[in-house]
């Protein structure tokens, strides 16, 4: 259980918990857009570090934290303002698309490295 993949999951879940805690402490001074952008940075970092599965998991977890912690009524999964569903949906879709794009880029880079190694071995 001390694999790099396991450490990445623990690190990014802990990062999400820390960021959420700090943001909740200053929740009254933040706008939804600021919260969404900061959480999106966590999703992007997790996607880049741990791949698609971690990125999508963090995106979904952040979606729930965003709803519960930053959209009134707080501490519930209820969304009082229907317009907030647009914010939540846009956030979730952006996080998932970013995770997918980073995974595709990682795969393409791996293919390019393999081709380079093959060409080098032929030379």
């Amino acid at each position: 259980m001390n694999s790099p993949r396991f450490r990445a999951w623990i690190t990014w879940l802990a990062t999400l918990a820390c960021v959420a805690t700090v943001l909740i402490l200053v929740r009254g001074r933040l706008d939804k857009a600021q919260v969404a952008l900061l959480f999106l940075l966590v999703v992007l970092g997790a996607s880049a570090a741990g791949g698609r599965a971690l990125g999508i998991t963090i995106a979904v977890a952040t979606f729930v934290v965003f709803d519960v912690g930053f959209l009134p009524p707080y501490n519930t999964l209820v969304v009082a303002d229907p317009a907030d569903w647009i914010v939540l949906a846009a956030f979730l879709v952006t996080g998932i698309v970013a995770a997918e794009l980073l995974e595709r880029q990682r795969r393409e880079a791996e293919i390019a490295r393999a081709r380079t190694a093959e060409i080098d071995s032929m030379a």
Side-chain angles (χ1 to χ4, degrees), residues 51-98:
R52 180 187 318 138
L54 178 58
I56 290 174
T57 301
I58 294 293
V60 171
T62 305
F63 172 90
V64 173
V65 171
F66 190 11
D67 181 16
V68 171
F70 298 94
L71 298 177
Y74 300 124
N75 303 319
T76 68
L77 287 173
V78 175
V79 177
D81 183 359
D84 286 341
W85 280 111
I86 296 169
V87 173
L88 285 170
F91 174 81
L92 186 60
V93 169
T94 301
I96 290 171
V97 168

Side-chain angles (χ1 to χ4, degrees), residues 1-122:
M1 284 299 190
N2 204 14
S3 71
R5 181 173 287 220
F6 179 74
R7 282 193 303 265
W9 279 77
I10 295 300
T11 298
W12 286 102
L13 287 169
T15 300
L16 173 57
C18 290
V19 169
T21 300
V22 169
L23 292 178
I24 285 174
L25 293 174
V26 294
R27 167 173 62 194
R29 293 181 270 169
L30 296 174
D31 186 60
K32 292 176 230 179
Q34 294 165 323
V35 173
L37 289 172
L38 290 169
F39 278 155
L40 191 56
L41 289 175
V42 175
V43 173
L44 292 173
S47 298
R52 180 187 318 138
L54 178 58
I56 290 174
T57 301
I58 294 293
V60 171
T62 305
F63 172 90
V64 173
V65 171
F66 190 11
D67 181 16
V68 171
F70 298 94
L71 298 177
Y74 300 124
N75 303 319
T76 68
L77 287 173
V78 175
V79 177
D81 183 359
D84 286 341
W85 280 111
I86 296 169
V87 173
L88 285 170
F91 174 81
L92 186 60
V93 169
T94 301
I96 290 171
V97 168
E100 180 62 31
L101 291 174
L102 285 166
E103 182 64 25
R104 285 183 188 177
Q105 185 61 37
R106 181 193 324 261
R107 265 194 317 249
E108 288 175 10
E110 185 59 38
I111 290 168
R113 279 191 289 276
R115 287 181 182 159
T116 300
E118 183 181 340
I119 290 170
D120 285 345
S121 69
M122 289 180 183

